[in-house]
Amino acid sequence: MRTVELPVTPPFAVAEALTILTVHALPGQDAVDAATGTVRRWLRLPDDTAVPIEVRLATDRIRLVQPVGRHEGDVQRLVRRWLDLDADPAAQLRAWGHDPLLGPLAEHRPGVRVVGYLDVFECAATTVLGQQVSVAAGRTFTTRLLDRCGQALPSGGRIFPTAPAVAAVPVDELRAALGVTGARARTLSSLAAAVAHGLVLDPDGDLTATRRELLALPGIGPWTLDLIAMRGLADRDAFPAGDLVVRRAMGVPDERAARTVAARWSPHRAAAAFQLWAHALAQRAGGSAAVAPDGTARSD
């Protein structure tokens, strides 16, 4: 294993990142130690092998412990995207500084990142399973998917299943194994089949075409699409206007109004959404620095 330090423009909001990583961690694949700022998990490489990685978060640096080999550059690129390490908090503050809503939030909590996923299919499947339920329930369903279809590792852990592995399971078996509704099982199965048969979920691909293909799948609406775009496809200007918590934090009545207001935050709208979530949860918790999408307020 080799330790490298990944450049990051400070500050990096450690507490907020750790919170969202914790609430979505899957037993057997992810382990988050908030006390030390350490995250350990398994990562699938381009050659389909699974390797362990560890990241240690600090406000001014990110240390990555990774296997030595020809995929070192791939791992570092994926980790940078996963943790939004190329974000520039100062540029966001300049863009939002005079905004009456977002400016004070960013001044109070600088460096909030758009924490995503290392695997885009994992992001998409997890988002589908989190529709219309709490974060905890979505995590339960996703853990069951990991147990049912995930790749077993020699260490005893598991890594998130590939799309073909999920697509191979009949819908009725998925529904029973995961404990979800028939409609949710069909959406997950359709998504997996589409990816298995050529739908490319690539942050470096044609995001407009990818959005169009995803939206054509049954059970995938604007909220799901925006979350996948933000957290999986690294679209830093995506914005979940259909999210009720976001709209409440903005003080607007509907999705159309939310999109109108959010237009002034472009091209940093994804980071703006994470700032709004952070603010909403901090208010609910009496000032704690928690950030995570509120799964009881999702709509599609």
Side-chain angles (χ1 to χ4, degrees), residues 43-44 73-83 118:
L43 169 64
R44 179 177 282 108
D74 292 324
V75 172
Q76 292 170 30
R77 175 179 55 82
L78 287 169
V79 169
R80 292 198 65 81
R81 183 175 286 157
W82 172 38
L83 298 176
L118 287 164

Side-chain angles (χ1 to χ4, degrees), residues 191-240:
L191 168 68
V195 174
H197 291 97
L199 171 57
V200 178
L201 299 180
D202 184 355
D204 296 319
D206 186 335
L207 297 187
T208 299
T210 302
R211 278 178 166 270
R212 184 170 58 247
E213 292 182 70
L214 283 170
L215 199 57
L217 295 175
I220 292 186
W223 179 88
T224 301
L225 184 62
D226 288 331
L227 262 291
I228 295 171
M230 280 201 314
R231 301 196 63 207
L233 296 172
D235 182 351
R236 298 303 183 230
D237 206 30
F239 187 80

Side-chain angles (χ1 to χ4, degrees), residues 240-267:
D243 189 274
L244 183 57
V245 170
V246 166
R247 295 206 305 267
R248 284 176 174 169
M250 295 172 71
V252 297
D254 54 36
E255 183 174 339
R256 181 177 180 179
R259 291 196 184 281
T260 299
V261 172
R264 69 194 191 211
W265 301 331
S266 183

